[in-house]
Amino acid sequence: MLDRTSSLAFRALLKSSAGRAHLDRLARRLTGLTPVALAYHLAASVRDEPIFVVAPTDADVEQLTADTRFFLAALEGLSEADTVRQVLPMPSPEVDPYRGLAVHLEVASARARALHALVIRSARIVIASARALAPRLSDPKRLAEAGLSLSPGTEISPLDLRERLANAGFTPEDPVDEHGEFCVRGGVVDLYPASEAQPVRLEFIGDIIESVRRYDAATQRSLVALDRLVVSPQRELLPSLDAPDDPAAFDRSATIVDVVRRAGARLLVFEIDDVIERGRAQEQQWRSIAADLSVRRQDVQPFEALAAPWTGLEAWLSSGSRVSQLAIVEGEDEGTHVSSLPAVEHHGRIGDWVNEVRTAREQGAAVVFVAATPGRAERTIELLADYELRARHVGEADDLHSAAVLVTTGQLSRGVHIPAASLRIYSETDLFEEERRVHERRRSAARSFISDFRDLKIGDLVVHVDNGIGRFVGLKKLAVGPGLPDQEFMELRYAGEDKLFVPLERLDLVQKYTGGAAPALDKLGGTTWEKAKTRVKKAMRDMAEELLKLYAARKAVVGHAFGADSHWQQEFDDAFQYDLTPDQQSAIADITRDMESPTPMDRLLCGDVGYGKTEVAMRAAFKAVIEGKQVALLAPTTVLAFQHVRTLRERFAGFPVKIDLVSRFRTRQEQKETIAQLAAGQVDIIVGTHRLLSKDVTFRDLGLLIVDEEQRFGVAHKERIKQLRKRVDVLTMTATPIPRTLNMSLVGIRDMSVIETPPRDRLSIQTQVVKFDTAVITRAIRTELERQGQVYFVHNRVESIYSMASLVGRLVPEARIAVGHGQMSEEELEKVMVDFVGHKFDVLIATTIVENGLDISNANTIVVNRADRYGLAQLYQLRGRVGRSDRRAYAYLLIPTEQTLSPIARRRLAAIREFSDLGSGFRI
């Protein structure tokens, strides 16, 4: 957001532009505005009375909210906290009211916060989606009274406060560590409003609040004192006054129309035809679900008791002001037309952008660039200076014509060109965002995928801990005793037609053979396996001795000591748009200290998936590159290598760093050219699979090797990595360190940094255990598709996976569906996975091969069929596939009816339910 001092010149520019473009008044009908121009219009036209905006989708709401906050800050010099309070989103509930699925707490609290702020008139602009309008609401007067304003000196007893918080939707928990929880302990009240980044502690003297402080939930230490805490209801529905003893009874006496009218807000509808179409579809869907449940003789409330009929809402929407991008004349009501165009996306082509800026300046237009971070703003000014274009921060340019480009910071989704205002605004995404589908040009050489994820097939070689190498024949049911049910065993075949039956309860004794060339089968009771284990133990001892010598030699070798962080490093660090966790900061300090030491670094960086290891590694890579050293990033699979390249290019955009890829995604000629450039020093960061370890790959001056999941490389590859360790700094990243690596770190042979703290919202995954229901599946997938997201559907039975895909296709015919499982060829499986990463498919129906390795921030819904067949650890891993960004994430664990479960499955389900009570966002 803009700060108060630096936005003065920009504010004057925007205000004068708004007047010239007729954007400072709310016309009855306005056409020609892009979504960004609409945000500009809203910020310029808001006055004393609030504006209630309706947009087609939740994605539109998110974009409009962020962009309107930016322009309001620019026009009025507001802080980020001010705009967050004054411009509020009202998303759709994302679930229907009939299936018993709980609304995500983040969604419920956002809706309640918007409604509460609207009725007490603290919000100036509320932006709602079409599907957010239908649910019936509690009386607006009660919504207004349900909120609290708490300050030091406020008189209220802790017991009265406890009752008020419970009525506002807070849940009593001790300790308080999740949004929506509170706890009263004598004269201390802890609560965690959904609008706050940390929980808040109130300390009382009698019935008077003495202090209000944010505190750290992990350490319980106070962070900062607050002058005032505004607490809004956590949910939009308040308990019914007619049935105070019934927790399931809610007040649904009002509609959104009642709330907006009570607030005295002006109504504005963006793309009304699209809004009406989506509202009608929602009503039809909800009525269809109600009718279906009635046919099954289930008690359901009538639609009108839960939602407002769309005919009334449609008439209300038609009475408001309308905004649309296209100018379609309807009779004599032509309205006001203001032409606006989205900024051209240049995707790193700085020269093309500079030419466009020069043309715009020759035509007399003002040009503004909005960077996401101060670091990116500084870098852009330096880039333009290289092209002899003068750029200045908005606070430094007293004369708006003294600079070709005004540069400011903020969050703007897209740039806009408004000819009537002589104004061109560019956002960072217009200039620096990388192409998402670069890999599509490299399809001809795509090959193997993740061999670690292969499902066991009949005929595969396996290794039994006690009996050695055998061949998997299949599963077989055998009688285990008179009067006892048959049990299932894994049948293994050994030399001489010997057979071994392993009970499924002891599958921990068996693993798939991955040693390369097919060996001879062992003989049951023979000595070959024992001799092999003896040889391996000796080899392990020899390897341990060699490793000790290697790491002792490393301590004696003088490596390259990197210098202290430069201002460029600070710019790169500042360009990171999220706050670092304390563990990330500690790891960065460790790595910086190692790199500045003359002893070659060998550090292990441990952290769960999604905890920010890659950002730490990228800062180390930048430190190496800035001193002229090359960096190699080694990934175990082609898909992960591609993902790393994409992340690096996005993060390093705007800096003169050449990043390239060596893997089977590239043709032989492309690889040859890249390797030649690498040897010549023309490539700064090279990413690749084991191909990077080939003898023909040489570096001009390698300074840092980053290894992702070293334990997933073969013995020969590790030998090559080991040789590189002797002379360059090495950083190894892992989510699951193997015992040997972990032990080496613990005894001091290798250094280790651990990231245990998840980023904020990393674990905000709402998980629900529900009985298998096609309506639940349909709604879950469609809800994700409506916000342009992707879905994992885990069905761990290859023999029926295509039938399940066919079912999903019938339920959601508009979805693009792909199937992936371990019995596909490696080339087929890789193509499916890469295409899913590239968003060529909306739904990936797969076995548990998705359990590890894929990091897709756009996939935030996962459906796990027959969840009762999984253990808690596996469910945790599967659930971790979603929630990889700050978007709301959902996990649906499907189970059959209780009557069809075996005793073992019942125990598993009980464990799942126990897990669901641990406060991890699980619901049943």
Side-chain angles (χ1 to χ4, degrees):
M1 284 292 176
L2 299 166
D3 58 56
R4 295 177 186 272
T5 56
S6 66
S7 63
L8 296 176
F10 191 32
R11 196 186 318 169
L13 170 64
L14 291 183
K15 284 186 174 180
S16 63
S17 298
R20 292 199 303 271
H22 306 288
L23 290 177
D24 57 347
R25 59 190 178 90
L26 196 61
R28 177 72 178 80
R29 187 167 183 269
L30 195 58
T31 61
L33 296 185
T34 67
V36 176
L38 171 59
Y40 183 12
H41 164 56
L42 290 172
S45 60
V46 66
R47 296 292 184 264
D48 296 332
E49 56 185 350
I51 302 176
F52 186 79
V53 183
V54 181
T57 68
D58 285 337
D60 297 327
V61 169
E62 292 177 7
Q63 177 183 335
L64 270 176
T65 299
D67 293 345
T68 304
R69 286 172 176 171
F70 168 79
F71 284 116
L72 190 63
L75 286 164
E76 301 188 7
L78 301 178
S79 67
E80 180 177 3
D82 290 334
T83 58
V84 168
R85 285 193 295 266
Q86 295 182 20
V87 182
L88 293 171
M90 184 178 166
S92 69
E94 296 187 341
V95 295
D96 66 71
Y98 291 104
R99 297 291 175 185
L101 300 180
V103 179
H104 197 294
L105 176 61
E106 181 185 334
V107 176
S109 61
R111 288 174 58 84
R113 189 160 61 250
L115 292 167
H116 177 256
L118 194 60
V119 294
I120 68 172
R121 294 177 70 90
S122 65
R124 300 174 67 188
I125 301 172
V126 172
I127 306 173
S129 65
R131 289 177 172 265
L133 307 178
R136 296 191 67 87
L137 308 169
S138 294
D139 180 81
K141 182 180 179 181
R142 292 192 63 201
L143 284 172
E145 296 171 348
L148 292 165
S149 179
L150 304 172
S151 306
T154 299
E155 183 175 357
I156 183 173
S157 74
L159 295 180
D160 289 343
L161 179 57
R162 179 173 62 186
E163 184 177 351
R164 294 283 300 275
L165 291 174
N167 289 335
F170 284 81
T171 304
E173 293 288 346
D174 188 9
V176 171
D177 53 14
E178 299 267 348
H179 282 120
E181 297 177 350
F182 80 100
C183 178
V184 179
R185 294 187 300 272
V188 176
V189 177
D190 293 344
L191 68 153
Y192 202 163
S195 58
E196 295 290 324
Q198 291 94 18
V200 177
R201 176 164 293 156
L202 311 175
E203 295 180 337
F204 287 75
I205 296 181
D207 291 345
I208 305 295
I209 297 177
E210 180 187 25
S211 65
V212 181
R213 296 178 179 274
R214 290 195 183 100
Y215 70 92
D216 188 316
T219 65
Q220 296 293 303
R221 292 181 178 177
S222 295
L223 298 176
V224 63
L226 302 177
D227 295 330
R228 185 174 67 131
L229 175 67
V230 177
V231 181
S232 59
Q234 296 300 284
R235 301 190 182 277
E236 66 203 67
L237 291 177
L238 302 176
S240 174
L241 296 177
D242 297 330
D245 297 329
D246 184 358
F250 296 102
D251 173 14
R252 289 189 168 96
S253 60
T255 68
I256 188 63
V257 180
D258 301 320
V259 173
V260 174
R261 285 176 177 168
R262 177 183 172 86
R266 293 182 290 174
L267 174 63
L268 184 148
V269 187
F270 181 54
E271 303 294 4
I272 190 169
D273 292 339
D274 196 1
V275 168
I276 289 175
E277 179 182 353
R278 292 176 183 275
R280 288 174 178 172
Q282 180 190 40
E283 178 173 9
Q284 181 182 4
Q285 178 190 63
W286 286 12
R287 288 186 182 275
S288 175
I289 292 172
D292 178 59
L293 293 175
S294 296
V295 170
R296 300 184 193 182
R297 299 182 178 179
Q298 297 186 24
D299 293 333
V300 293
Q301 292 181 277
F303 173 84
E304 288 75 13
L306 301 175
W310 189 255
T311 51
L313 292 175
E314 189 173 323
W316 173 65
L317 292 171
S318 299
S319 68
S321 300
R322 305 184 192 180
V323 176
S324 61
Q325 294 193 61
L326 298 178
I328 301 176
V329 178
E330 298 177 357
E332 297 180 357
D333 182 18
E334 297 184 10
T336 301
H337 181 77
V338 177
S339 177
S340 67
L341 301 169
V344 176
E345 294 180 328
H346 291 284
H347 297 306
R349 299 187 299 276
I350 307 299
D352 293 347
W353 180 56
V354 167
N355 292 335
E356 189 174 310
V357 169
R358 288 198 172 109
T359 301
R361 294 294 292 158
E362 290 171 359
Q363 295 172 351
V367 178
V368 177
F369 176 78
V370 182
T373 63
R376 180 53 56 81
E378 293 290 345
R379 180 65 194 131
T380 303
I381 292 174
E382 293 180 5
L383 278 175
L384 291 173
D386 293 340
Y387 286 89
E388 299 182 351
L389 270 183
R390 182 181 174 85
R392 288 290 181 270
H393 290 287
V394 291
E396 299 173 352
D398 296 328
D399 179 5
L400 296 178
H401 299 287
S402 66
V405 180
L406 295 178
V407 179
T408 187
T409 57
Q411 299 299 323
L412 189 65
S413 64
R414 182 82 189 274
V416 65
H417 174 207
I418 305 177
S422 298
L423 177 66
R424 288 177 183 261
I425 300 177
Y426 297 91
S427 77
E428 182 175 309
T429 56
D430 301 324
L431 186 57
F432 293 119
E433 188 175 71
E434 280 290 329
E435 268 311 332
R436 293 284 180 175
R437 297 180 176 87
V438 172
H439 65 291
E440 291 181 4
R441 301 193 300 268
R442 304 167 179 168
R443 295 305 306 155
S444 60
R447 288 293 186 270
S448 64
F449 183 53
I450 309 173
S451 60
D452 304 304
F453 297 154
R454 311 306 296 169
D455 287 346
L456 191 63
K457 301 187 293 292
I458 293 175
D460 285 346
L461 294 176
V462 296
V463 181
H464 189 281
V465 171
D466 298 322
N467 298 287
I469 298 173
R471 192 176 301 280
F472 173 59
V473 176
L475 298 178
K476 190 170 185 178
K477 284 189 175 182
L478 298 174
V480 294
L484 296 176
D486 292 350
Q487 290 190 15
E488 203 164 24
F489 292 80
M490 172 184 282
E491 182 180 350
L492 307 181
R493 188 71 54 83
Y494 284 83
E497 298 300 315
D498 291 344
K499 295 181 181 180
L500 178 67
F501 294 95
V502 182
L504 295 187
E505 289 78 5
R506 298 310 313 272
L507 290 185
D508 58 306
L509 300 176
V510 181
Q511 68 181 50
K512 184 177 178 180
Y513 175 80
T514 57
L521 300 183
D522 287 310
K523 183 175 179 60
L524 286 181
T527 60
T528 56
W529 178 241
E530 287 300 324
K531 290 179 179 178
K533 288 199 294 183
T534 300
R535 289 195 304 270
V536 170
K537 288 177 181 178
K538 182 179 183 301
M540 291 293 290
R541 286 194 298 269
D542 293 342
M543 183 178 67
E545 182 179 351
E546 184 180 356
L547 284 171
L548 286 171
K549 291 179 181 178
L550 168 65
Y551 286 101
R554 281 178 55 84
K555 294 295 182 181
V557 170
V558 177
H560 177 76
F562 289 90
D565 289 349
S566 63
H567 76 282
W568 279 53
Q569 182 78 45
Q570 188 61 48
E571 286 184 21
F572 181 82
D573 295 351
D574 290 343
F576 187 54
Q577 57 183 323
Y578 304 106
D579 294 332
L580 293 174
T581 65
D583 288 347
Q584 282 180 302
Q585 293 173 341
S586 178
I588 290 169
D590 292 341
I591 294 169
T592 301
R593 184 173 58 252
D594 288 352
M595 294 181 70
E596 293 176 0
S597 167
T599 301
M601 175 178 69
D602 188 14
R603 181 165 291 275
L604 179 67
L605 180 61
C606 297
D608 202 354
V609 288
Y611 276 37
K613 298 188 298 294
T614 304
E615 172 62 23
V616 173
M618 287 191 293
R619 296 192 182 201
F622 188 87
K623 186 176 182 68
V625 168
I626 212 66
E627 288 200 17
K629 294 288 186 177
Q630 292 173 299
V631 177
L633 196 161
L634 191 61
T637 69
T638 51
V639 172
L640 290 179
F642 165 71
Q643 290 184 337
H644 280 308
V645 166
R646 186 178 64 178
T647 302
L648 285 164
R649 285 176 174 167
E650 290 175 353
R651 186 68 173 87
F652 280 76
F655 293 91
V657 177
K658 176 68 179 298
I659 301 169
D660 214 332
L661 173 71
V662 172
S663 77
R664 292 180 180 178
F665 276 119
R666 312 294 301 275
T667 64
R668 187 180 298 275
Q669 181 60 32
E670 287 175 327
Q671 292 187 43
K672 184 177 180 181
E673 293 173 359
T674 299
I675 291 171
Q677 293 173 357
L678 186 67
Q682 297 171 0
V683 175
D684 300 301
I685 301 177
I686 187 72
V687 181
T689 57
H690 57 275
R691 177 68 178 87
L692 267 184
L693 303 174
S694 303
K695 293 182 179 180
D696 64 327
V697 177
T698 58
F699 298 86
R700 183 176 182 273
D701 190 5
L702 180 64
L704 175 64
L705 173 65
I706 302 172
V707 184
D708 189 8
E709 302 291 357
E710 181 182 4
Q711 71 273 13
R712 290 168 60 185
F713 290 91
V715 175
H717 301 144
K718 289 180 181 178
E719 182 67 24
R720 172 64 172 153
I721 296 173
K722 182 176 65 177
Q723 296 304 317
L724 290 173
R725 274 202 174 96
K726 291 182 179 179
R727 57 184 184 274
V728 300
D729 287 353
V730 178
L731 176 63
T732 302
M733 301 186 294
T734 182
T736 53
I738 59 177
R740 177 170 60 89
T741 301
L742 192 59
N743 183 65
M744 291 169 63
S745 298
L746 293 176
V747 300
I749 296 178
R750 300 178 69 177
D751 298 315
M752 180 171 66
S753 297
V754 181
I755 301 179
E756 296 180 296
T757 309
R760 187 188 173 199
D761 294 333
R762 171 64 183 92
L763 297 179
S764 58
I765 305 170
Q766 179 143 321
T767 308
Q768 304 188 43
V769 181
V770 294
K771 294 179 181 178
F772 186 94
D773 189 333
T774 55
V776 171
I777 297 171
T778 303
R779 186 70 247 137
I781 295 175
R782 282 203 167 122
T783 297
E784 188 61 53
L785 266 55
E786 285 166 4
R787 55 179 188 171
Q788 288 80 53
Q790 294 168 274
V791 178
Y792 295 108
F793 191 109
V794 179
H795 179 82
N796 206 32
R797 289 291 183 272
V798 174
E799 61 271 17
S800 57
I801 195 169
Y802 289 99
S803 298
M804 182 56 69
S806 177
L807 172 62
V808 173
R810 293 194 301 272
L811 296 175
V812 192
E814 67 272 22
R816 298 170 299 172
I817 298 172
V819 175
H821 59 80
Q823 294 184 16
M824 297 168 64
S825 71
E826 293 185 350
E827 185 172 351
E828 288 177 320
L829 184 57
E830 180 195 47
K831 185 177 188 305
V832 167
M833 295 300 182
V834 172
D835 287 347
F836 187 66
V837 171
H839 205 172
K840 287 187 176 182
F841 297 107
D842 303 308
V843 182
L844 174 62
I845 300 179
T847 55
T848 52
I849 57 172
V850 302
E851 186 175 347
N852 295 293
L854 288 179
D855 183 2
I856 305 175
S857 60
N858 195 48
N860 281 294
T861 292
I862 184 168
V863 181
V864 181
N865 192 28
R866 290 306 302 265
D868 54 296
R869 291 175 171 169
Y870 299 85
L872 292 184
Q874 196 168 28
L875 285 174
Y876 178 81
Q877 288 292 332
L878 289 170
R879 182 172 172 259
R881 292 303 94 209
V882 296
R884 310 305 294 272
S885 66
D886 57 357
R887 297 188 70 181
R888 296 180 295 274
Y890 297 87
Y892 297 89
L893 307 183
L894 306 182
I895 61 174
T897 61
E898 292 276 354
Q899 290 75 17
T900 63
L901 296 178
S902 66
I904 294 178
R906 287 176 187 271
R907 289 195 294 272
R908 287 176 179 167
L909 180 55
I912 294 171
R913 284 180 170 155
E914 182 180 354
F915 186 25
S916 73
D917 293 333
L918 297 181
S920 300
F922 269 74
R923 293 182 181 273
I924 295 183

